[in-house]
Amino acid sequence: KADNTLFVKKFNKDTMYVQIYVDDIVFGSTNLSLCKEFAKTMQGEFEMSMMGEVTFFLGLQIKQMSDGIFISQSKYCNELLKKFGMEWCKEATTLVSNSCNLDLDEKGIAVDNSKYRGIIGSLLYLTASRPDIMFVVCLCARFKANPKESHTKVVKRILKYLRGTMNVGLWYPKGVSLSLIGYSDSDYVGCRLDRKSTSGTCHLLGSALVSWHSKKQACVALSTAEAEYIATGSCCAQIL
């Protein structure tokens, strides 16, 4: 029915997971012998090399420790700042000002949209390990068709915030309960252009964050309760 990328093998009381992305493969198991058997089988079928314990995968830095796993994109974040000439910028303690209300700014000064889109695209990839920047990056992405100086100012502040938080990432502790917990919220008529609300959700397995998103709702909510119901609906769909 679909092109599977995650494969699971259960053998007695042991489990093995194999994650495939194009020609990159990450695998692990509760039993080391299953990993060795899989590696031997794959190398017998295909021309491939073993890179050892995973430390870097698709731009994600993975640090495995005795009490858990830490995933970050500090190297990518540093390269992003260098690419857009912000590696020595002044740090910002917050992502955006409380008084900031972005709109089309039709009378504002136009800027190079290719550079603006480049920054937005790079930041969107960074949200793979940085849920803290998700809302503001998605908000700025709404103006990539015709960006103005006011939009660029907000995007640069995101980069300044990243300058001081490059080593922030996701922590997955060992031995936590696997209870699935979901949270949802919405900002009622938060968009100044079409008066639509934005849904935000996140999901945790125990204390480990595994899924998150921030997205403008498809319809205009007529009350705060309706906006919350739409956000809760998308949260429940992701849980299922």
Side-chain angles (χ1 to χ4, degrees), residues 19-137:
Q19 178 68 56
I20 299 175
Y21 184 82
V22 191
D23 59 351
D24 293 312
I25 302 175
V26 174
F27 59 94
S29 174
T30 54
N31 189 330
L32 187 60
S33 63
L34 289 176
C35 287
K36 290 179 178 178
E37 180 188 340
F38 175 76
K40 185 178 179 181
T41 302
M42 293 298 288
Q43 286 177 317
E45 289 287 333
F46 308 101
E47 185 179 334
M48 59 198 313
S49 57
M50 284 286 293
M51 305 298 291
E53 186 177 282
V54 62
T55 57
F56 196 78
F57 185 68
L58 301 178
L60 296 171
Q61 291 163 256
I62 303 165
K63 189 173 184 180
Q64 300 186 61
M65 293 168 277
S66 58
D67 56 343
I69 297 174
F70 182 68
I71 297 177
S72 67
Q73 288 176 282
S74 55
K75 185 176 181 230
Y76 174 82
C77 188
N78 189 43
E79 290 172 352
L80 188 156
L81 292 172
K82 284 182 179 178
K83 180 180 178 181
F84 298 107
M86 299 287 284
E87 69 268 38
W88 302 113
C89 66
K90 185 179 178 181
E91 298 175 8
T93 55
T94 57
L95 275 163
V96 68
S97 169
N98 288 334
S99 59
C100 177
N101 290 303
L102 288 180
D103 55 22
L104 289 176
D105 192 12
E106 294 176 340
K107 295 181 180 179
I109 301 171
V111 296
D112 180 10
N113 61 5
S114 60
K115 183 179 180 181
Y116 185 87
R117 291 172 184 173
I119 297 175
I120 292 296
S122 299
L123 289 173
L124 284 171
Y125 189 74
L126 189 59
T127 59
S129 68
R130 295 294 299 268
D132 54 329
I133 69 171
M134 189 83 177
F135 172 75
V136 181
V137 172

Side-chain angles (χ1 to χ4, degrees), residues 66-219:
S66 58
D67 56 343
I69 297 174
F70 182 68
I71 297 177
S72 67
Q73 288 176 282
S74 55
K75 185 176 181 230
Y76 174 82
C77 188
N78 189 43
E79 290 172 352
L80 188 156
L81 292 172
K82 284 182 179 178
K83 180 180 178 181
F84 298 107
M86 299 287 284
E87 69 268 38
W88 302 113
C89 66
K90 185 179 178 181
E91 298 175 8
T93 55
T94 57
L95 275 163
V96 68
S97 169
N98 288 334
S99 59
C100 177
N101 290 303
L102 288 180
D103 55 22
L104 289 176
D105 192 12
E106 294 176 340
K107 295 181 180 179
I109 301 171
V111 296
D112 180 10
N113 61 5
S114 60
K115 183 179 180 181
Y116 185 87
R117 291 172 184 173
I119 297 175
I120 292 296
S122 299
L123 289 173
L124 284 171
Y125 189 74
L126 189 59
T127 59
S129 68
R130 295 294 299 268
D132 54 329
I133 69 171
M134 189 83 177
F135 172 75
V136 181
V137 172
C138 290
L139 177 63
C140 292
R142 297 173 188 174
F143 306 98
K144 62 182 181 292
N146 189 21
K148 301 296 174 62
E149 265 190 5
S150 57
H151 307 132
T152 303
K153 187 177 179 181
V154 176
V155 166
K156 284 187 175 180
R157 178 154 178 167
I158 299 174
L159 297 177
K160 289 178 181 178
Y161 171 80
L162 292 175
R163 172 81 172 82
T165 59
M166 274 196 287
N167 294 320
V168 172
L170 298 170
W171 172 244
Y172 296 99
K174 182 181 179 181
V176 297
S177 67
L178 293 181
S179 55
L180 183 59
I181 305 166
Y183 295 93
S184 69
D185 198 5
S186 69
D187 67 334
Y188 179 53
V189 295
C191 182
R192 297 179 67 184
L193 305 177
D194 52 21
R195 311 310 293 167
K196 290 180 180 178
S197 308
T198 298
S199 297
T201 67
C202 68
H203 303 84
L204 301 98
L205 272 175
S207 58
L209 187 63
V210 294
S211 172
W212 57 93
H213 93 283
S214 174
K215 188 177 181 181
K216 189 196 288 187
Q217 295 178 2
C219 59

